[in-house]
Amino acid sequence: MQNKFLFIKKRNLLLIAGIFWLIAGVNVVKMAINAYFLSYKILSIHIFLSVLIFILFSIMFNKISKKHLVRIKSYNEQRVLFLKFFDLKSYILVIFMMSLGIFIRLKHLLSYETIFFFYFGIGSALIFSGVLFFVMFLKNKF
């Protein structure tokens, strides 16, 4: 017998993914804002690079989001384990990216200006992808 709290309607995985990506994005943007206040100067090139990073990662995250939608729709069961909002590859990618970010910040491998534009771009793209998951949740009634 399935635990009704652990197994949810597969459509709700989109909602969980949206919440996950949104929280991750907000936290990354918060780190970017902290780096902004620790930096000596943020120039217009940093803003441009942040927009560029946002565009590149939004394209990548959009592709990943669509793959998750297809995978979630393909589940035969109507109720699935709530952790299936990601596949194993995505969990590994998240762990790798978080570990790399922590390592870079702890070892001070990048300037605050670089952390600002890179994290602001990635964090904004994560927020955008979280919103995309919410839209997919509202549009798909499977």
Side-chain angles (χ1 to χ4, degrees):
M1 182 174 162
Q2 294 178 348
N3 184 321
K4 66 179 179 178
F5 296 110
L6 296 179
F7 288 81
I8 61 173
K9 292 179 182 175
K10 64 182 180 178
R11 178 175 172 258
N12 291 342
L13 294 175
L14 298 172
L15 191 59
I16 292 174
I19 292 167
F20 182 90
W21 286 53
L22 186 66
I23 290 171
V26 167
N27 283 323
V28 173
V29 167
K30 281 172 39 179
M31 286 185 269
I33 292 169
N34 288 339
Y36 171 80
F37 287 114
L38 292 170
S39 70
Y40 294 104
K41 59 184 178 272
I42 299 294
L43 306 172
S44 19
I45 186 69
H46 297 118
I47 305 300
F48 170 78
L49 290 171
S50 186
V51 171
L52 183 63
I53 295 293
F54 168 77
I55 292 168
L56 293 174
F57 275 87
S58 288
I59 292 168
M60 182 179 77
F61 292 154
N62 186 31
K63 289 178 184 178
I64 291 170
S65 300
K66 288 179 179 175
K67 286 180 182 179
H68 284 305
L69 175 63
V70 170
R71 179 182 49 77
I72 290 169
K73 277 183 161 182
S74 73
Y75 289 139
N76 292 326
E77 308 86 13
Q78 284 304 309
R79 298 183 75 79
V80 294
L81 183 64
F82 77 97
L83 293 173
K84 287 191 169 187
F85 71 92
F86 273 178
D87 55 8
L88 181 60
K89 181 179 170 184
S90 295
Y91 280 112
I92 292 170
L93 180 64
V94 167
I95 291 167
F96 172 76
M97 288 180 71
M98 287 176 62
S99 299
L100 182 62
I102 291 167
F103 178 77
I104 287 170
R105 286 191 320 281
L106 286 177
K107 297 296 183 183
H108 304 284
L109 298 177
L110 297 174
S111 69
Y112 289 123
E113 293 81 12
T114 304
I115 289 173
F116 165 74
F117 79 75
F118 197 72
Y119 275 40
F120 198 84
I122 289 177
S124 300
L126 285 166
I127 292 169
F128 180 73
S129 295
V131 171
L132 178 62
F133 272 110
F134 293 140
V135 169
M136 289 189 293
F137 171 79
L138 293 173
K139 286 178 130 180
N140 291 277
K141 306 290 183 196
F142 51 89

